[in-house]
């Protein structure tokens, strides 16, 4: 509440409703009220306070229509203060007071009545009973037809509560009853009265509860069947409760601890002992037992039913038969019956007990066991499947009623559809222009995931208008996707929907899906529509299924992507002649993965994007690829990865390949001389972004970085973001990340250092160098650190690296004690990817002391480490590591 102190000086002239709630009481809340100002906002009509202590002044809380006070344990209003507040709000319509601690209880009624002509709803709960009575006596509210009342009455209710002072509320309290019940444990009884007023009262004993319930149910009110719930746990209390309620009870529920055997004897004879029967409960119709029964209890239950059903010498023809019996009720409503439950019913309960119980109840009676209805033939069924009112109907009567019901159903469906359309017309999305709505649908359909229930079907079922839009917009039906869950029927429907519209085809039929989901049928369905293809993407097991493409004509095709997941023997000997050497005139994008085609410039020409990957058989020759690239002077993106060329080249081509629009180039996992030959041939002044990976033997400046490719040097070396060297002892890998991402595998770390130095010449923005050491021998590590001593900023020791010796190198640049050689000055970060032993911890601390300048070995000229990362990347139990 302390956070609300700033409300004191505020002015809120437009405030109509104020609700303040706090979750906890602070010390301040118990001693000082919240002063929300001296005067109420002029328009304030509703105030709701929970755990808020305010100044209870009629100057502030006045002219209100709603007052709700709840859970005010400290600083609550006195009775006179709240009466003054209510008197200042003559137009009050709703008053609710729950769990409020009043500091003073009234000893007499207030001197003047409180007139509230508009009060409609009143609720008092968890407040002192005398306070409740005082308010009811003071308030004059002729229109208050709804209310709630909870309390604990000591002594005689008609002497302490239901007295003449509150008689003006009696008619309202007793009217409109919908349910009544008593719950008794013998000593205390709880009355529940549900009507216009909802009343819950705890009274002393069942007799007092019965008197109050009789008073509430006097002839001027509509009485309902009484439900008696017994919590008593001894026979005497059960007998007393049933004796009090004998002529009124309609339903009885025995809770888990009640003595059921003796209670059933009372229901049969009205007495707990054998002999002449007292008056049993005549009106009783329903019995609920919330426990499993033993043999004695089963016998008493059968006897009670025979007595009430009028069977044998003990039958009483004046008693009403039981119409509903529920057994084993509590604890089972939220659990499905198990196989063990069913077996227990069939093998034990039904033949030994329930069959006789079911017979005694007769065809009009209902037996329920563990929330399942037990039919007369012993079959368990759900409640909603039992329709006893149809018993005795003839076929013609059923047909007649069905005809009437179907006619009514059709009328209701038509009316519901009309009302739904009218309601949907008010939705904000239906105010959008049609073009914008179609655009939203296109985005939604374009992002559709693979599922059996498609986006189209969902949109069609939203409403009549959306159904019309989707069905009459061709562009929403021209993207055909085939996956493991999309049925061919949906594909065929989309193909036939708009037969003149261009199509986007996408299918994923890898693995065993070709046979299991009708892959061949799908391909046979789409190939006849090749003249409509605008974009086609297929992922297949092999290229055999693509053979019909050799004779297809696709005049509208702009993009073609073909992927296979494996190589078949046929593909190693024969290439796929797509479109029979007749290229689609609009084709601009081609992507091939594990698909060998005829590498002809007449087929692959005038492209803007060419991607070929994982071509291991019948790959292009160097001259064939140059011819294809020369036939596409407007190429913008070229990617060649993991391609085995059918021949090599010793010199670059005599004629350069001019590609003025090429902006992105990727060459990876192809022969070194092919890479160099392509770079030497290309003339691409706009190619500022690229990626290549190569394995270089010998001196790179003699075999690769030669004048032939010097026109790419400035772009390759520009815009460095990160660079690193991976040292494996016998080999070294350079990683250069800039406008170009370059990966080079070299023989020697000294060569790698010279290449990295060449990349990082002053005209490029060099980034800090990261040295990753995978070597397992100390001489190799010493050589690597010696080569990189003046350049390395970050060192990572991988799992098998001898860390102790490596750390001594970082401190001294030597493996032996004595005068230190030059350690790496620029080093700022170290990462160790293994758990350390005692010697390695000691070397780590020694290296840190040396670089931090501590002790006699400290070196003030060295940069201290700024980051040290220790991790065991092979640790299996992370929790154990943390412990």
């Amino acid at each position: 509440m302390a956070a609300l102190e700033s409300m004191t000086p505020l002015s809120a002239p437009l405030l109509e409703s104020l609700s303040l709630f706090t979750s906890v009481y602070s010390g301040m809340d118990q001693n000082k009220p919240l002063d929300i100002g001296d005067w109420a906002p002029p328009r304030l009509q509703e105030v709701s306070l929970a755990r808020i202590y305010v100044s209870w002044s009629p100057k502030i809380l006045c002219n209100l229509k709603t007052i709700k006070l709840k859970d005010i344990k400290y600083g609550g209003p006195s009775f006179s203060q709240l009466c003054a507040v209510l008197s200042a709000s003559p137009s009050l319509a709703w008053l609710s007071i729950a769990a409020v601690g009043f500091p003073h209880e009234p000893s007499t009624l207030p001197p003047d009545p409180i007139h509230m002509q508009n009060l409609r709803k009143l609720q008092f709960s968890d407040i002192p009973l005398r306070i409740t009575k005082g308010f009811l006596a003071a308030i004059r509210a002729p229109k208050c037809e709804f209310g709630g009342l909870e309390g604990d009455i000591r002594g005689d209710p008609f002497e302490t509560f239901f007295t003449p002072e509150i008689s003006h509320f009696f008619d309202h309290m007793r009217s409109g009853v919908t349910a009544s019940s008593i719950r008794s444990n013998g000593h205390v009884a709880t009355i529940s009265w549900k009507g216009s007023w909802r009343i819950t009262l705890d009274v002393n004993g069942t007799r007092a509860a019965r008197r109050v319930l009789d008073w509430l149910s006097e002839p001027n009110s509509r009485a309902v069947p009484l439900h008696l719930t017994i919590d008593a746990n001894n026979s005497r209390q059960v007998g007393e409760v049933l004796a009090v309620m004998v002529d009124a009870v309609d339903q009885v529920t025995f809770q888990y601890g009640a003595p059921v055997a003796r209670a059933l004897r009372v229901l049969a004879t009205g007495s707990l002992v054998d002999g002449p029967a007292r008056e049993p409960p005549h009106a009783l119709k329903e019995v609920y037992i919330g426990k499993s029964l033993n043999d004695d209890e089963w016998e008493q239950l059968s006897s009670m039913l025979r007595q009430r059903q009028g069977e044998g010498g003990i039958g009483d023809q004046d008693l009403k038969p039981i119409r509903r019996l529920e057994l084993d009720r509590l604890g089972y409503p939220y659990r499905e019956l198990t196989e063990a439950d069913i077996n227990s019913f069939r093998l034990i309960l039904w033949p030994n007990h329930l069959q006789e119980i079911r017979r005694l109840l007769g065809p009009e009676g209902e037996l329920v066991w563990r929330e399942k209805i037990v039919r007369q033939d012993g079959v368990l069924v759900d409640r909603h499947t039992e329709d006893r009112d149809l018993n005795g109907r003839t076929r013609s009567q059923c047909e007649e009623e069905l005809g009437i019901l179907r006619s009514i159903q059709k009328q209701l469906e038509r009316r519901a559809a009309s009302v739904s359309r009218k309601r949907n017309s008010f939705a904000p999305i239906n105010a959008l222009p049609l073009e914008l709505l179609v655009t939203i649908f296109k985005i939604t359909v374009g992002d559709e995931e693979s599922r059996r229930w498609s986006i189209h079907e969902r949109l069609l079922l939203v409403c009549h208008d959306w159904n019309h839009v989707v069905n009459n917009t061709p562009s929403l039906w021209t993207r055909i996707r085939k996956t493991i869950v999309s049925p061919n029927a949906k594909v065929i429907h989309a193909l036939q929907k708009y037969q003149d519209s261009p199509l986007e085809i996408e299918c994923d039929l890898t693995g065993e899906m070709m046979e299991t989901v009708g892959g061949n049928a799908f391909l046979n369905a789409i190939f006849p529509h090749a003249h409509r293809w605008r974009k086609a993407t297929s992922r297949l097991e092999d290229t055999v299924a693509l053979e019909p493409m050799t004779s297809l004509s696709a005049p509208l095709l702009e993009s073609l992507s073909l992927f296979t997941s494996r190589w078949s023997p046929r593909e190693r000997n024969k290439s796929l002649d797509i479109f029979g050497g007749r290229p689609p005139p609009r084709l601009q994008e081609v992507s091939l993965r594990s698909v060998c085609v005829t590498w002809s410039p007449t087929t692959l020409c005038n492209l803007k994007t060419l991607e070929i990957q994982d071509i291991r058989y019948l790959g292009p020759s160097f001259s064939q690829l140059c011819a294809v690239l020369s036939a596409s002077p407007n190429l913008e993106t070229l990617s060649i990865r993991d391609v085995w060329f059918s021949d090599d080249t010793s010199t670059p081509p005599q004629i350069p390949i001019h590609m003025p629009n090429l902006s992105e180039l990727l060459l990876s996992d192809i022969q070194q001389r092919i890479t160099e030959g392509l770079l030497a041939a290309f003339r691409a002044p706009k190619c500022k972004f690229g990626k290549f990976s190569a394995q270089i033997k010998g001196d790179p400046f003699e075999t690769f970085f030669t004048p032939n490719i010097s026109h790419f040097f400035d772009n390759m070396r520009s815009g460095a973001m990160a660079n690193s060297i991976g040292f494996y002892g016998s080999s070294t890998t350079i990683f250069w990340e800039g406008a170009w991402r370059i990966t080079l595998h070299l023989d020697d770390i000294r060569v790698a250092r010279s290449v990295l130095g060449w990349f990082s010449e002053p005209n490029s923005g060099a980034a800090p160098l990261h040295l990753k050491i995978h070597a397992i021998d100390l001489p190799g590590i010493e050589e690597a650190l010696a080569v990189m001593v003046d350049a390395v900023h970050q060192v990572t020791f991988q799992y098998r690296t001898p860390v102790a010796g490596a750390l001594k190198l970082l401190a001294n640049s030597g493996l032996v004690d004595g005068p230190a050689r030059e350690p790496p000055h620029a080093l700022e970060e170290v990462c160790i990817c293994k758990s350390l032993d005692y010697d390695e911890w000691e070397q780590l601390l020694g290296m840190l002391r040396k670089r931090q300048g501590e002790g006699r070995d400290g070196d003030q000229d060295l940069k201290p480490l700024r980051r040290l990362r220790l991790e065991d990347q092979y640790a299996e139990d992370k929790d154990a590591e943390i412990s």
Side-chain angles (χ1 to χ4, degrees):
M1 201 169 79
L4 298 174
E5 290 183 353
S6 58
M7 289 185 65
T8 301
L10 296 182
S11 173
L14 303 180
L15 185 65
E16 297 178 359
S17 178
L18 176 65
S19 298
L20 301 177
F21 306 87
T22 62
S23 58
V24 294
Y25 281 107
S26 65
M28 175 268 192
D29 300 341
Q30 303 179 25
N31 302 309
K32 181 182 177 183
L34 175 65
D35 186 1
I36 56 176
D38 297 328
W39 300 96
R43 299 187 182 182
L44 186 62
Q45 295 184 346
E46 299 179 4
V47 171
S48 182
L49 305 174
R51 292 182 290 279
I52 295 289
Y53 170 23
V54 302
S55 300
W56 305 103
S57 169
K59 293 182 179 180
I60 303 172
L61 302 175
C62 60
N63 299 319
L64 301 175
K65 291 186 177 181
T66 300
I67 296 178
K68 298 180 184 179
L69 307 178
K70 183 178 180 181
D71 199 14
I72 301 177
K73 298 182 180 179
Y74 307 102
S78 67
F79 181 77
S80 57
Q81 284 176 324
L82 193 51
C83 285
V85 169
L86 297 179
S87 297
S89 299
S91 299
L92 196 68
W94 188 355
L95 174 62
S96 176
I97 304 173
V100 175
F102 285 81
H104 306 292
E105 290 190 357
S107 57
T108 61
L109 297 177
D112 298 316
I114 304 171
H115 293 280
M116 291 187 282
Q117 300 297 320
N118 297 322
L119 188 66
R120 294 298 183 94
K121 191 171 184 180
L122 178 63
Q123 184 175 2
F124 295 123
S125 174
D126 294 330
I127 61 177
L129 193 63
R130 297 188 63 186
I131 294 290
T132 300
K133 183 178 176 182
F135 281 125
L136 292 176
I139 293 173
R140 297 295 185 271
K143 298 180 181 179
C144 187
E145 299 177 355
F146 304 95
L149 179 62
E150 295 182 16
D152 186 357
I153 300 179
R154 299 301 175 188
D156 188 340
F158 296 99
E159 294 180 0
T160 59
F161 190 78
F162 294 107
T163 59
E165 290 89 347
I166 65 170
S167 60
H168 49 286
F169 275 108
F170 286 170
D171 289 342
H172 293 322
M173 288 182 180
R174 300 153 83 173
S175 65
V177 60
T178 56
S180 63
S181 63
I182 291 179
R183 188 183 190 106
S184 174
N185 64 8
H187 301 294
V188 177
T190 300
I191 304 167
S192 296
W193 175 267
K194 297 180 182 179
S196 304
W197 279 58
R198 298 175 67 91
I199 302 174
T200 303
L201 297 175
D202 293 330
V203 297
N204 292 334
T206 308
R207 296 183 185 278
R210 172 67 191 274
R211 289 178 60 210
V212 173
L213 208 59
D214 286 345
W215 176 78
L216 288 171
S217 304
E218 282 187 359
N220 61 343
S221 67
R222 181 175 60 87
V224 296
L226 173 64
H227 186 184
L228 175 63
T229 301
I230 299 178
D231 285 319
N233 55 14
N234 67 66
S235 300
R236 184 188 60 79
Q237 292 174 335
V238 172
E240 179 184 348
V241 171
L242 289 174
V244 171
M245 307 304 301
V246 68
D247 60 337
V249 66
D250 297 85
Q251 304 174 37
V252 174
T253 295
F254 296 102
Q255 296 290 61
Y256 186 76
V260 175
R262 292 194 159 189
L264 292 171
R265 179 178 295 176
V266 173
L267 293 183
T269 65
S271 174
L272 284 171
V273 295
D274 296 328
R278 294 189 299 177
E279 191 71 12
H282 281 270
L284 183 64
K285 295 179 181 178
E286 301 181 17
V287 176
Y288 303 87
I289 301 176
K291 57 171 283 187
S292 299
L293 303 183
N294 58 34
D295 289 341
D296 184 36
E297 291 166 335
W298 281 115
E299 188 59 37
Q300 291 296 336
L301 177 60
S302 299
S303 178
M304 183 269 291
L305 289 176
R306 291 189 188 99
Q307 174 88 6
R308 299 191 67 91
Q309 306 300 100
E311 279 198 6
I314 62 172
D316 188 338
Q317 302 298 330
D318 295 330
L319 292 178
K320 288 185 178 181
I322 300 295
R323 286 288 172 253
R324 181 179 179 84
L325 175 62
E326 273 202 35
L327 302 174
D328 228 347
R329 183 185 185 202
L330 300 180
Y332 288 93
Y334 305 108
R335 181 173 76 82
E336 289 292 329
L337 293 183
T338 65
E339 185 176 354
D341 295 330
I342 301 296
N343 290 336
S344 174
F345 173 84
R346 291 174 177 170
L347 301 177
I348 301 174
L349 293 177
W350 175 252
N352 294 315
H353 303 293
L354 285 176
Q355 189 172 14
E356 176 64 8
I357 298 296
R358 174 66 264 187
R359 185 192 68 78
L360 289 170
L361 287 172
E364 298 299 323
E366 183 176 76
L367 175 61
V368 179
W369 177 76
R370 296 191 180 180
E371 296 295 313
K372 298 286 186 180
I373 291 177
V374 183
R375 291 193 331 200
Q376 289 185 292
D377 56 0
V379 176
L380 296 175
V381 295
D382 291 331
R383 296 188 181 194
H384 64 272
T385 63
E386 198 71 316
D387 259 326
R388 295 194 311 275
D389 63 322
L390 296 178
N391 292 339
R393 290 286 186 92
T394 64
R395 179 184 178 90
S396 60
Q397 289 173 330
C398 292
E399 293 288 352
E400 181 181 359
E401 184 174 351
L402 280 174
I404 296 173
L405 291 174
R406 287 175 181 140
S407 176
I408 295 173
Q409 183 181 16
K410 290 179 180 178
Q411 295 176 23
L412 290 174
E413 289 174 352
R414 287 194 295 268
R415 181 61 179 172
S418 299
V419 175
S420 296
R421 283 195 292 270
K422 181 62 178 177
R423 180 200 60 187
N424 293 340
S425 67
F426 298 108
I429 194 169
N430 286 328
L432 291 176
L434 180 60
E435 295 80 3
L436 185 55
L437 185 64
V438 169
T439 300
I440 294 174
F441 288 170
K442 286 182 180 178
I443 295 172
T444 305
V445 172
D447 290 339
E448 179 184 0
E449 298 176 358
S450 297
R451 54 169 72 92
R452 188 174 298 279
W453 189 254
S454 72
I455 294 294
H456 292 89
E457 293 163 328
R458 295 186 179 204
L459 294 176
L460 288 169
L461 292 175
V462 170
C463 65
H464 178 270
D465 289 342
W466 282 25
N467 187 292
H468 178 78
V469 171
V470 173
N471 268 320
N472 291 276
T473 305
S475 57
L476 296 177
W477 296 91
T478 56
R479 187 175 184 215
I480 311 298
R481 300 189 67 185
K482 173 63 178 177
T483 63
I484 190 172
V485 296
S486 54
N488 283 333
K490 187 178 77 172
V491 172
I492 294 173
H493 174 73
L495 288 171
Q496 296 175 348
K497 188 72 177 172
Y498 292 98
Q499 299 194 8
D500 296 328
S501 300
L503 298 175
E504 292 186 13
I505 305 295
E506 182 177 349
C507 67
D508 186 352
L509 299 171
T510 54
E512 298 179 355
M513 288 188 286
M514 279 293 289
E515 290 76 20
T516 58
V517 300
N520 289 317
F522 167 77
L523 295 176
N524 292 334
I526 64 169
F527 283 146
H529 294 267
H531 63 283
R532 298 169 53 195
W533 294 359
R534 187 178 64 83
K535 181 177 181 180
T537 301
S538 72
R539 297 174 179 85
L540 304 175
E541 186 69 7
D542 53 46
T543 61
V544 175
L546 295 175
E547 288 187 355
M549 290 188 64
T550 58
S551 60
L552 294 183
S553 173
L556 303 181
L557 188 64
E558 298 176 1
S559 176
L560 176 65
S561 299
L562 302 177
F563 306 87
T564 62
S565 59
R566 65 181 177 86
W567 291 92
S568 67
R570 171 212 178 276
E571 293 163 330
R572 303 182 186 185
N573 303 311
K574 182 180 178 182
S575 59
L576 179 67
D577 187 8
I578 53 175
F579 305 113
R582 302 178 301 277
R586 300 186 183 182
L587 187 61
Q588 295 184 343
E589 299 179 5
V590 171
S591 181
L592 304 173
R593 180 172 181 176
S594 302
V595 175
C596 178
V597 300
T598 302
W599 306 103
S600 168
T602 58
T603 303
L604 302 175
C605 59
N606 299 318
L607 302 176
K608 290 187 176 180
T609 298
L610 176 59
E611 298 178 356
I612 54 176
Q613 180 180 352
D614 196 18
I615 308 293
R616 302 189 179 184
Y617 304 99
L618 301 179
S621 67
F622 182 79
S623 58
Q624 285 177 325
L625 184 60
C626 288
V628 167
L629 297 178
S630 298
S632 297
N634 295 317
L635 199 67
E636 297 175 357
T637 301
L638 174 61
S639 174
I640 305 174
R641 291 186 292 176
D642 195 14
V643 175
W644 294 6
F645 283 79
S646 57
D647 64 354
D648 203 347
T649 181
S650 57
T651 59
Q654 300 298 321
I655 303 175
I657 302 173
H658 292 279
M659 291 186 284
N661 297 321
L662 187 67
S663 59
E664 186 171 357
L665 175 62
L666 187 151
L667 304 174
S668 175
D669 296 325
I670 58 178
Q671 296 100 312
Q672 173 188 335
R673 297 180 65 84
I674 295 292
T675 301
E676 184 181 8
L678 290 174
L679 291 176
F682 292 162
R683 298 295 183 269
K686 296 181 180 179
C687 188
K688 299 185 181 298
F689 301 96
K691 180 178 180 180
F692 74 82
S693 173
Q695 183 159 356
I696 300 178
K697 301 296 183 182
D699 188 342
F701 297 100
E702 294 180 359
T703 60
F704 193 81
F705 294 107
T706 60
N708 292 336
I709 64 169
S710 60
H711 49 287
F712 276 108
F713 285 171
D714 289 341
N715 291 335
M716 287 182 180
R717 301 154 82 177
S718 65
M721 296 179 294
N723 60 87
S724 60
I725 288 181
F727 177 65
Y728 301 86
S730 59
S731 65
T732 304
T733 301
I734 299 175
F735 303 95
W736 174 266
E737 299 185 21
W740 280 60
R741 298 170 63 90
I742 300 174
T743 303
L744 298 178
H745 305 285
L746 306 170
D747 295 333
D748 185 82
I749 193 167
R750 296 183 184 275
V751 175
R753 172 62 195 276
S754 64
V755 172
L756 208 59
W758 175 79
F759 273 125
S760 305
E761 282 187 359
N763 62 341
S764 67
L769 174 62
H770 184 184
L771 175 60
K772 302 175 184 178
I773 298 179
H774 301 260
I776 59 175
D777 65 295
L778 282 176
I781 297 173
E782 183 174 22
E783 179 185 6
L785 289 175
V787 170
M788 309 306 299
V789 68
D790 59 339
V792 66
H793 295 75
Q794 179 178 352
V795 175
T796 294
F797 297 107
Q798 296 297 348
Y799 184 73
R800 299 180 63 190
T801 304
V803 175
L807 291 172
K808 183 179 289 187
L809 289 171
L810 291 183
N812 304 312
S813 283
L815 287 173
V816 295
D817 295 328
R821 292 190 295 175
E822 192 70 14
H825 282 270
L827 184 65
E828 295 182 354
E829 299 183 25
V830 173
C831 178
I832 302 175
C833 299
K834 59 171 285 187
S835 298
L836 304 184
D837 58 25
Y838 179 80
D839 183 36
E840 290 167 336
W841 282 114
E842 281 298 313
Q843 292 297 337
L844 176 61
L845 291 172
M847 183 271 290
L848 290 174
R849 292 189 185 102
K850 172 105 179 191
R851 299 194 68 88
Q852 305 299 109
E854 285 191 6
R856 60 185 182 83
D857 293 331
D859 190 338
Q860 302 296 332
D861 296 331
L862 292 178
K863 284 186 178 181
L865 287 188
R866 287 292 173 251
R867 179 180 176 85
L868 174 63
R869 181 176 177 181
L870 305 173
E871 66 174 21
D872 185 353
Q873 59 188 0
Y874 293 102
E876 295 181 356
D877 191 343
K878 296 297 182 183
D879 292 335
E881 290 289 314
I882 293 172
S883 298

